[in-house]
Amino acid sequence: MSIPFITVEGPIGVGKTSLAKAIADTYQFELLKEIVDENPFLDKFYDNIAEWSFQTEMFFLCNRYKQLADIQKHYIAKERPVAADYHIFKNLIFAKRTLSPIEYTKYEAIYSILTRDMPVPNMVVYLDASLDVLLERIELRGRDFEKKIDPAYLAQLSADYRVFIENFEKAHPEVPVLRFSGDDFDFVQNPQDLAHILDKVDATLHKRSLQR
């Protein structure tokens, strides 16, 4: 395949960062981690989503744009593989759910301008899990602002992700999407589960490289 740019995606608490780090460590890829704790609006967002959603989403958009631009300039352009625990396309998932129609129209226009030249991942590892598993993992990692997440919001977000990933596959049939359930694979606690996922990633990398 072309220079690997692997994105691990899925709803909050599903284990994206842990798996992206495992992939990066295994293959000696550069690791791209999203900025979360630095968002000054996030704590207020979970207190009042309607009031603080636009500020929260714009902060994430600008920071993720800068990160991906740096990755494209310093790594992908120099043929250095990257494993990321997000991709900027996730912004539309959150924004569409939280912004008013008028705000979303403005946001989508800005998003389209900023992401016009952004690289598309050439492999997506999509993680999903039941609501109970997501809530359990969110509790375990202990971020104060995440304790305010409404379970109904998290359930809806997970459903939004499933729809978005299906649409992504239709729009980018050339990009393999590997799907794993967090209910079936605990790759953080179980080395065998991690090995299974890494084997699938390795097979996809090898298959795509042979097709070049």
Side-chain angles (χ1 to χ4, degrees):
M1 65 194 307
S2 57
I3 301 306
F5 176 23
I6 300 175
T7 288
V8 181
E9 263 296 1
I12 299 168
V14 78
K16 298 183 292 293
T17 302
S18 296
L19 184 55
K21 185 177 186 305
I23 293 172
D25 289 346
T26 299
Y27 296 102
Q28 298 302 297
F29 289 177
E30 298 294 334
L31 176 63
L32 173 64
K33 294 171 60 176
E34 70 172 324
I35 296 171
V36 176
D37 296 336
E38 292 86 345
N39 191 325
F41 305 107
L42 203 52
D43 190 63
K44 297 176 181 178
F45 170 80
Y46 286 119
D47 280 332
N48 190 331
I49 291 177
E51 179 69 21
W52 293 99
S53 57
F54 191 79
Q55 297 93 323
T56 302
E57 298 305 334
M58 285 303 302
F59 181 92
F60 277 134
L61 177 59
C62 292
N63 277 274
R64 289 167 183 162
Y65 165 77
K66 180 63 167 62
Q67 279 189 300
L68 281 176
D70 287 346
I71 284 291
Q72 185 176 32
K73 178 180 177 181
H74 297 297
Y75 299 116
I76 294 176
K78 296 179 180 179
E79 300 190 347
R80 295 171 64 181
V82 174
D85 69 353
Y86 78 97
H87 192 267
I88 202 166
F89 63 50
K90 77 183 301 174
N91 285 54
L92 293 180
I93 301 174
F94 286 81
K96 195 166 187 178
R97 178 55 50 189
T98 60
L99 299 180
S100 70
I102 293 176
E103 288 176 328
Y104 183 75
T105 298
K106 295 176 181 178
Y107 181 91
E108 189 176 31
I110 298 169
Y111 174 93
S112 297
I113 293 170
L114 290 181
T115 62
R116 187 173 299 151
D117 301 321
M118 288 292 97
V120 175
N122 48 26
M123 184 192 303
V124 175
V125 180
Y126 171 57
L127 305 175
D128 198 5
S130 65
L131 180 60
D132 287 343
V133 168
L134 294 177
L135 290 171
E136 179 183 341
R137 292 182 180 176
I138 288 171
E139 180 69 23
L140 284 174
R141 70 184 182 189
R143 289 174 175 167
D144 287 338
F145 62 83
E146 288 184 343
K147 295 176 182 178
K148 303 177 183 179
I149 295 177
D150 184 346
Y153 170 76
L154 186 58
Q156 183 60 66
L157 184 64
S158 296
D160 292 342
Y161 256 105
R162 295 182 197 112
V163 172
F164 193 91
I165 289 296
E166 290 176 3
N167 291 335
F168 177 86
E169 288 182 293
K170 293 175 183 177
H172 302 280
E174 76 285 359
V175 179
V177 177
L178 308 183
R179 297 169 177 259
F180 300 98
S181 169
D183 293 33
D184 300 328
F185 295 96
D186 186 353
F187 50 84
V188 174
Q189 301 296 331
N190 191 330
Q192 291 182 329
D193 287 351
L194 176 59
H196 174 81
I197 294 175
L198 292 176
D199 283 347
K200 296 294 185 182
V201 171
D202 189 74
T204 303
L205 284 170
H206 184 63
K207 179 180 178 181
R208 301 284 291 182
S209 66
L210 291 179
Q211 293 176 344
R212 288 185 64 184

